[in-house]
Amino acid sequence: MAQPQIKKIGIFKCGNIGTSPLLELLLDELADRKDIKVRTVTTGSKMGPDDVEEAMPKMFEFNPDLLIVISPNTSLPGPRKFREKISSSGLPGIVISDAPGKRAKEEIEQQGLGYMIITGDPLIGARKQFLDPIEMAIFNSNVSKVLAITGVYRIVHQEIDNVIYAIENGQKPDLPRLIVDLKVVRDRSEFSNPYAKAKAIAAYGLAEKIAEINVQACFIEKDSEKYIPLVTCAHEIAQTAARLAEDAREIEKGNDTVMRKPHSKSGKLKIKTKLMLPPVSDEEFYDENVS
Amino acid sequence: MAQPQIKKIGIFKCGNIGTSPLLELLLDELADRKDIKVRTVTTGSKMGPDDVEEAMPKMFEFNPDLLIVISPNTSLPGPRKFREKISSSGLPGIVISDAPGKRAKEEIEQQGLGYMIITGDPLIGARKQFLDPIEMAIFNSNVSKVLAITGVYRIVHQEIDNVIYAIENGQKPDLPRLIVDLKVVRDRSEFSNPYAKAKAIAAYGLAEKIAEINVQACFIEKDSEKYIPLVTCAHEIAQTAARLAEDAREIEKGNDTVMRKPHSKSGKLKIKTKLMLPPVSDEEFYDENVS
Amino acid sequence: MAQPQIKKIGIFKCGNIGTSPLLELLLDELADRKDIKVRTVTTGSKMGPDDVEEAMPKMFEFNPDLLIVISPNTSLPGPRKFREKISSSGLPGIVISDAPGKRAKEEIEQQGLGYMIITGDPLIGARKQFLDPIEMAIFNSNVSKVLAITGVYRIVHQEIDNVIYAIENGQKPDLPRLIVDLKVVRDRSEFSNPYAKAKAIAAYGLAEKIAEINVQACFIEKDSEKYIPLVTCAHEIAQTAARLAEDAREIEKGNDTVMRKPHSKSGKLKIKTKLMLPPVSDEEFYDENVS
Amino acid sequence: MAQPQIKKIGIFKCGNIGTSPLLELLLDELADRKDIKVRTVTTGSKMGPDDVEEAMPKMFEFNPDLLIVISPNTSLPGPRKFREKISSSGLPGIVISDAPGKRAKEEIEQQGLGYMIITGDPLIGARKQFLDPIEMAIFNSNVSKVLAITGVYRIVHQEIDNVIYAIENGQKPDLPRLIVDLKVVRDRSEFSNPYAKAKAIAAYGLAEKIAEINVQACFIEKDSEKYIPLVTCAHEIAQTAARLAEDAREIEKGNDTVMRKPHSKSGKLKIKTKLMLPPVSDEEFYDENVS
Amino acid sequence: MAQPQIKKIGIFKCGNIGTSPLLELLLDELADRKDIKVRTVTTGSKMGPDDVEEAMPKMFEFNPDLLIVISPNTSLPGPRKFREKISSSGLPGIVISDAPGKRAKEEIEQQGLGYMIITGDPLIGARKQFLDPIEMAIFNSNVSKVLAITGVYRIVHQEIDNVIYAIENGQKPDLPRLIVDLKVVRDRSEFSNPYAKAKAIAAYGLAEKIAEINVQACFIEKDSEKYIPLVTCAHEIAQTAARLAEDAREIEKGNDTVMRKPHSKSGKLKIKTKLMLPPVSDEEFYDENVS
Amino acid sequence: MAQPQIKKIGIFKCGNIGTSPLLELLLDELADRKDIKVRTVTTGSKMGPDDVEEAMPKMFEFNPDLLIVISPNTSLPGPRKFREKISSSGLPGIVISDAPGKRAKEEIEQQGLGYMIITGDPLIGARKQFLDPIEMAIFNSNVSKVLAITGVYRIVHQEIDNVIYAIENGQKPDLPRLIVDLKVVRDRSEFSNPYAKAKAIAAYGLAEKIAEINVQACFIEKDSEKYIPLVTCAHEIAQTAARLAEDAREIEKGNDTVMRKPHSKSGKLKIKTKLMLPPVSDEEFYDENVS
């Protein structure tokens, strides 16, 4: 009887943004969740229509209950193709993309899909004089730390979790429609110290700046004397942003107020702050912290 | 005529280690490589035999020319199942795993597969009082930075690149058989300053220590008063190791000697150190730096 | 006979930007320059037309040979009044202002004045819940460090120096017409290590981001729950930017390549890099470093 | 009826110390104070008697209600001239100077003036091989941060504020007579954490050490091999002191106990600690924090 | 009558470990303890049997009431000789040694002596290409900081203090029998913030890793190309461990919860946490902090 | 025939300064020097005349060829007693002490002894509310790092080495007569980068400041409200000084120019800078680095 409750989450990644590499892991960080299975198919760093076309069918053959597609700029032909496919399949679908993806916002809404556009998930400095596999990995490491600590990854998994819960309960899910910008980070980040929060927002602001500079460096400047300093500068900002985010978390650690929300085996989030105490349900947590 | 040269790399991930999330991106960091396509299928954080059994066929349906399977402890039933399948398929295959994977070394060799066992890709602190999606992501970010900067990711992609080149040239590839431990990192890391190198090795040593402590915390200690401090301590070491690796790279940056090896469109690695100069072929590089 | 050569530089400050507090000191850092005298009149933090009107005459009574007016947003009524007065006086004049001052660019050109618009001299977080005299001073300290190290203060004093030299030689000075943005900083900063330069540009990029966030916080958000985190975040970025600039300079120190350009007694800039060597004339310096 | 209450504060700066550049801004950091106007006249970095003589009259023509003169070593001829002029004018006057100014203490008292001698406002490393406009600005940035965070700027503006309030109320002001040394900083700094306070005092102690070393380097050592390392060392201490002061403030931020005292429009200081709460009057503040 | 109560503690050091240099000072840090005298005899860095034989008699001529011998690897002939001598003397004796000393554990027990084996007191990188007096001192400084902050020095002096109290009271002392490993540090360290504690344990874990790497570098690798990077790496870890320990203490300082246990004149430990309060007796302390 | 060349160095420590704990280890850091034996006798932290009187004879019974006495303020009765004894014994003797020891300078010279007075070996903050064994150890760790890196320990061991060489060669040794102050550190420290050197001198300057503040805190202030912040502040400076010294060394590491001078087995110092090269004799070293 438990069997019917196991829902299958299909994730399709084409190309890469900072939210991509760990996305499926965010949903089941302890690998002990009994209510879902996750299957991911990716086309690596490439995101051309051919790549998508070839890989897409495998995703659907998994018979997922929920589909998530994540890519840079979802308005490009490759990701668009996948969106169309979800839309026509009638399955609930969520699109995750970076700032340029904003352009597709209306289209996505018309397709009946949810979306999370993450303005601080910045374009990488993709210039051959600068970017090699190591530099690429370092950049992803830094961006990932920023998105984790500032609360963006929390928003991402909670929004998906909510959709899953609805599906599990046989309800029509409320798909997220969110531009995750600096203000959303400010309003939804989970810090108890206001300076920690300010540092986190600052880190996110830096991530937005990276995007701005890398767009200039990758698409506008033509002379290597001009764009090498810019991509290098953008990656320096990524490193700085990661440190700043870390500083924010260190403050919470110093006060023993880090908020943690592990998934329980049933899939529900538990919640805790004091490190030596066990996580509890939302109700218990807020009861305790109010009374 | 170019068409036949495009080789397809299939990557199967079950469960997660620090080398997993960015693996396919390491092979084509600029997304402009003309000689390969990468297709990845993953089972998320879970790695049970059922998961593998269900997802495995999709991987083979892609008709890959080279298969890579990456997972924690490859001697567990899930990953083993996949290894058996590659072995019986006759396709060239490479197994990537963490320290406990060492146990399967002989078996892998008998299966005719290559392997890279990464002793400094440490077990995460998977205790529900501690690990939530955010903490998981931060850990991956830190480990990823260590593996990138110390040269482990370089070893990984170069070994795979070499196998790909052989396949492209119609040769039988020399599959890697490597335990990537502290000594291998010492001998293969690409630093020009000896203290930078020492800091990088140190960071890798720290990563090995994380593994040791997390094994104690996750599998041996039963009392949360005992294991919570241990997993927390292990993740602190991860943060420290990432900083130390960063310090190593900062020295090279200060001397403008960071070695970069971007993939060219043809798939060959180019090489460079001085930031403002273009990457060149190996031959040109070593000519120049010797004469 | 030396007497006629002493030129008088009049500086009028109304309101404050990061370039204001040290401006006159940049021209004569060792207080031993024989060719100029500097006189400054300021209206403090206020910049209303009344303030300007009352203080302005004193400036002109000093009979300056060159007039500089520095203020936030030079298109506001107070600074504009002063610009009109210089323009009608026929004296050579230079306007220094921050990003919003760009709006007055054409007007300034029509007034025959020079200008330096410094896009990375950011608006302060002027909210009473946040800004007290101490926070204001810390912000100025951080911004000042960024502008000094990234090379903006160098641009400012060199441009003014050039105008002074022209006046001293009885020539019509070439007044500067510069929007000092990220690209100008990239092209004119004086680092020898390319990563130091990238860090400096990054610091300047951060300073631009401060401005963007503080404009939102000071002029758009109405609710203190919304704007306090933003101003706090902006000042965190200022602190971070100062550190990043410092890191840039530390690299140059580590290589003994810090470029220094002290004013000689005659007013001419000397130049040096190796700390233990004396500064020399431009000609000697470039001779030496080329041959 | 409000008009008569607007008092005019005249500030005369000749030469520069760390307290000079931001002095007038400390009095009206939000530029919205209705009870005062500030007018400043400066002679730039020079402080010769001629400079003072020429610039001084402009200051008096502003008809100030309170006069402040700030300079290095107030016992030198230039600043002395200005002191004499205030004294003979009968206007209330305050002298701000650095450690060597202590020598003039008795004289100032006989002149009926107030004073604040700031022992940790150190002599700059004015050696042409070392000091250029950028190094000068960096030094001021560092010293400024130390003086702001350790509480010296607070002492300075509060003492002046008190004099202004007295003048506004038609009372004879109690002019400050303070040697602001390490012990005064210890006794008047506004930290709630005792280690934060200790770090701040330490930063101030470092600033005193800078002065000691720079005096040796600028006035005693004759050989550049001897004095260049000393001035460089002194500026390194300035950077270190700024960081230490910052560390002190970071502790308070981590505890959300930063004390802020913004000026209200009426000129009165408000007070607050918790960042998200509004500043209140002294009475409200201490009421709340006691009960 | 007080005279008979003064007990004499004899400390014999041969060779050096991180706990050696400050050992006697830990017992009487304020030099005002009235109940004991300490006399130390050492053979410097050498620990051969001849050295011990020559120096040993002096120790016994002091007529100590308690004997402590501290050395690297107490199973080596030199330290063993001294152990035998204590054992046969019938005096109470405590052996302090590093990880390799574990081998002598049974022997020590049979000799009726106490012991503290400190697994995180690591072998130094004794290779002539690397270790000179300065590098040796830096290593000791780092190790000492780790052992102090993580609580190892606390364990050491409290265990000795307890033996002294017993002797003073005419009781047969309970000699310590402790392997001070990561778990003991976890269980006995005195942090109030759990992340501070985790950082401290992490620092101790790093110290254990140093030992592991230096054993490899000093005793196994034969080629300088192989061992120089390893000893350098081990010392880098020492520096990192010291910083991490410092970070742990900084958290406690930020919360004003640093636990201090100064010796009173009578020899008893007092205890305190809040910096501005006086130390009190154990009873008073725990009364206060409970009620 | 080698036997007669083994000289015995006797070290007597009473009380403790930062140079004490590692002194004998500085002479034989690798424990393989064939030309000397070191024997140390100490009275722990106490330095009363009784302590000295009781322990002194043991030192002489060792029949040393050279005697070194190290203590705080050598003009106090305890250390003075020992000096008298050396002087009357006719043995060559060296006195090492801290700044207050300067008072005994003439007396020492009259006694025919050598001396090294280390002005930056600061008094500890010996107040019972602050100093416990852990705080004492941390302070020693920090001071030790400063003295090691700034070159003071180098001066100390080289001066003693020179005396030993003379004794070995049957010459009358030239005993050192040195006040090791900031200027000596400037002139004798072994940095190749001038900013590294400046940072090291700065660290030493900070150490001098510690002494100044601790004298005030320990001997002058009577009220704990006054002296606790001062001793805490002094220990903060110690931590800062250690970091600054570390920064200095990091620069040299980044340039691979750390100077190392290990003792050879014969006792002679070898010398090297490039980490991967072996140490060589002085002659070889300077030959190579000049030509």
Side-chain angles (χ1 to χ4, degrees), chain A residues 8 15-16 21-22 24-34 36-46 50-52 54-55 58 61-62 124-138 140-142 144-145 147-149 151 153-154 157 224-226 228-229 232 236 239 242-243 246-247 249-250 253 258-265 269-270 272 275-279, chain B residues 8 15-16 21-22 24-34 36-46 50-52 54-55 58 61-62 124-138 140-142 144-145 147-149 151 153-154 157 224-226 228-229 232 236 239 242-243 246-247 249-250 253 258-265 269-270 272 275-279:
Chain A
K8 206 182 284 177
N16 187 61
L22 304 175
E24 61 267 49
L25 304 171
L26 293 174
L27 300 179
D28 192 9
E29 74 282 3
L30 287 150
D32 68 352
R33 205 167 154 177
K34 301 295 180 211
I36 61 165
K37 277 188 201 181
V38 180
R39 297 291 174 262
T40 306
V41 172
T42 91
T43 60
S45 53
K46 294 224 183 68
D50 291 357
D51 294 292
V52 172
E54 185 195 346
K58 305 300 160 206
E61 290 166 19
F62 278 127
I124 199 167
R127 287 292 194 173
K128 211 172 279 276
Q129 292 92 339
F130 181 67
L131 200 78
D132 76 340
I134 302 317
E135 189 70 43
M136 177 278 298
I138 294 170
N140 269 285
S141 162
N142 285 324
S144 189
K145 191 171 279 177
L147 297 177
I149 295 178
Y153 281 177
R154 179 74 82 213
H157 84 74
S224 72
E225 290 290 312
K226 301 291 188 195
I228 296 177
T232 313
E236 287 295 330
Q239 177 169 305
R243 294 252 171 138
E246 225 167 68
D247 290 349
R249 195 167 172 93
E250 287 298 314
K253 284 155 78 176
V258 175
M259 178 158 289
R260 296 172 188 278
K261 294 188 176 170
H263 287 96
S264 63
K265 290 187 180 180
L269 288 175
K270 296 214 155 179
K272 62 172 289 185
L275 179 63
M276 297 306 294
L277 296 184
Chain B
K8 207 182 281 176
N16 186 60
L22 304 176
E24 61 268 47
L25 304 171
L26 293 175
L27 300 179
D28 191 10
E29 76 280 3
L30 287 150
D32 68 353
R33 205 168 153 177
K34 301 295 179 211
I36 62 165
K37 278 188 199 181
V38 180
R39 297 290 175 263
T40 305
V41 172
T42 92
T43 60
S45 53
K46 296 226 184 65
D50 291 357
D51 293 292
V52 172
E54 185 196 345
K58 305 298 161 208
E61 290 166 19
F62 278 128
I124 200 168
R127 287 292 196 173
K128 211 173 280 275
Q129 293 90 341
F130 180 67
L131 201 76
D132 76 341
I134 301 317
E135 189 70 43
M136 179 277 299
I138 294 170
N140 269 286
S141 162
N142 285 324
S144 189
K145 191 173 280 178
L147 297 177
I149 294 178
Y153 280 177
R154 179 75 81 212
H157 83 74
S224 73
E225 290 291 312
K226 300 292 188 194
I228 296 176
T232 312
E236 288 294 331
Q239 177 170 305
R243 294 251 171 139
E246 225 167 68
D247 290 349
R249 194 167 172 93
E250 287 298 314
K253 283 156 79 175
V258 175
M259 178 159 288
R260 295 172 189 278
K261 295 187 176 170
H263 287 95
S264 62
K265 290 188 179 178
L269 287 175
K270 296 212 157 181
K272 62 172 287 185
L275 180 62
M276 297 305 295
L277 296 184

Side-chain angles (χ1 to χ4, degrees), chain B residues 3-4 24 28 42 166 175 187 206 216 240:
Chain B
Q3 193 63 11
E24 61 268 47
D28 191 10
T42 92
L175 297 171
D187 296 339
L206 265 53
Q216 175 77 21
T240 296

Side-chain angles (χ1 to χ4, degrees), chain B residues 123-127 213-221 227 231:
Chain B
L123 182 70
I124 200 168
R127 287 292 196 173
I213 293 173
N214 269 342
V215 166
Q216 175 77 21
C218 294
F219 301 134
I220 300 175
E221 298 282 5
Y227 63 67
V231 290

Side-chain angles (χ1 to χ4, degrees), chain C residues 119-173:
Chain C
T119 63
D121 191 333
L123 182 70
I124 199 167
R127 286 294 195 173
K128 210 174 280 274
Q129 293 91 339
F130 180 66
L131 201 77
D132 76 340
I134 300 316
E135 189 70 42
M136 178 278 299
I138 294 170
F139 185 76
N140 269 286
S141 162
N142 285 324
V143 170
S144 189
K145 191 172 281 178
V146 171
L147 297 178
I149 294 178
T150 58
V152 174
Y153 281 177
R154 179 75 80 214
I155 293 170
V156 166
H157 82 75
Q158 283 197 314
E159 293 292 333
I160 298 174
D161 279 335
N162 287 336
V163 171
I164 295 172
Y165 303 153
I167 295 173
E168 286 174 358
N169 293 325
Q171 300 164 338
K172 192 177 153 51

Side-chain angles (χ1 to χ4, degrees), chain E:
Chain E
M1 240 193 78
Q3 195 63 12
Q5 290 169 328
I6 301 185
K7 297 301 172 188
K8 207 182 281 177
I9 317 304
I11 298 179
F12 189 78
K13 305 178 182 176
C14 55
N16 185 62
I17 58 173
T19 310
S20 305
L22 304 176
L23 182 58
E24 61 267 48
L25 304 171
L26 293 174
L27 299 179
D28 191 9
E29 75 282 2
L30 287 151
D32 69 351
R33 206 169 153 177
K34 300 294 180 213
D35 65 328
I36 61 165
K37 279 187 198 182
V38 180
R39 297 291 175 262
T40 305
V41 173
T42 93
T43 59
S45 53
K46 296 229 183 65
M47 54 188 294
D50 292 358
D51 293 293
V52 172
E53 206 125 8
E54 184 195 346
M56 190 162 61
K58 305 301 161 205
M59 186 79 271
F60 286 91
E61 289 166 19
F62 278 128
N63 292 317
D65 298 287
L66 168 65
L67 265 162
I68 302 169
V69 57
I70 183 165
S71 74
N73 190 354
T74 187
S75 67
L76 291 176
R80 165 182 285 161
K81 204 175 272 291
F82 198 87
R83 278 193 280 117
E84 283 160 9
K85 189 66 199 298
I86 317 180
S87 184
S88 66
S89 78
L91 285 167
I94 300 169
V95 177
I96 304 177
S97 195
D98 56 6
K102 259 192 274 191
R103 286 171 225 154
K105 201 184 108 155
E106 256 113 86
E107 201 179 273
I108 300 170
E109 293 185 358
Q110 284 158 11
Q111 292 172 324
L113 305 176
Y115 58 85
M116 290 186 269
I117 302 296
I118 299 164
T119 63
D121 192 332
L123 182 69
I124 199 167
R127 287 293 194 174
K128 210 173 280 275
Q129 292 91 340
F130 180 66
L131 201 76
D132 77 338
I134 300 318
E135 189 70 42
M136 179 278 299
I138 294 170
F139 185 76
N140 268 286
S141 162
N142 285 324
V143 171
S144 189
K145 191 171 280 177
V146 172
L147 297 177
I149 294 177
T150 58
V152 174
Y153 281 177
R154 178 75 81 215
I155 293 171
V156 167
H157 83 73
Q158 283 198 313
E159 292 293 333
I160 299 174
D161 280 336
N162 287 337
V163 171
I164 295 172
Y165 304 153
I167 293 173
E168 287 174 357
N169 292 326
Q171 299 164 341
K172 192 177 154 50
D174 235 4
L175 298 172
R177 297 196 160 167
L178 269 178
I179 309 289
V180 183
D181 59 11
L182 195 99
K183 289 191 246 171
V184 170
V185 167
R186 175 194 61 196
D187 297 339
R188 293 187 58 170
S189 65
E190 297 164 331
F191 292 91
S192 73
N193 176 283
Y195 296 94
K197 182 174 163 175
K199 283 176 199 287
I201 306 172
Y204 197 72
L206 266 53
E208 291 182 343
K209 189 72 188 181
I210 297 167
E212 186 187 320
I213 293 173
N214 270 341
V215 166
Q216 176 78 21
C218 294
F219 301 135
I220 299 175
E221 298 283 5
K222 297 300 169 209
D223 173 6
S224 71
E225 290 291 312
K226 300 292 187 194
Y227 62 67
I228 296 177
L230 291 185
V231 289
T232 312
C233 142
H235 282 229
E236 287 295 330
I237 298 179
Q239 177 170 306
T240 296
R243 293 252 172 140
L244 197 49
E246 225 166 68
D247 289 350
R249 194 166 173 94
E250 286 298 314
I251 290 177
E252 297 290 318
K253 284 155 78 174
N255 293 330
D256 196 11
T257 53
V258 175
M259 179 158 288
R260 296 170 189 278
K261 293 188 176 169
H263 287 96
S264 63
K265 290 188 180 181
S266 75
K268 285 284 164 209
L269 288 175
K270 296 214 155 179
I271 185 169
K272 64 172 286 186
T273 49
K274 287 191 168 297
L275 180 62
M276 297 306 294
L277 297 184
V280 296
S281 70
D282 255 44
E283 301 76 44
E284 288 171 273
F285 184 79
Y286 290 107
D287 261 27
E288 220 165 89
N289 287 43
V290 165
S291 64

Side-chain angles (χ1 to χ4, degrees), chain A residues 199 251, chain C residues 236 239, chain D residues 246-255:
Chain A
K199 283 177 199 286
I251 290 178
Chain C
E236 287 295 331
Q239 178 170 305
Chain D
E246 224 165 69
D247 290 350
R249 194 166 173 95
E250 286 299 313
I251 290 178
E252 297 290 318
K253 283 155 79 174
N255 293 328

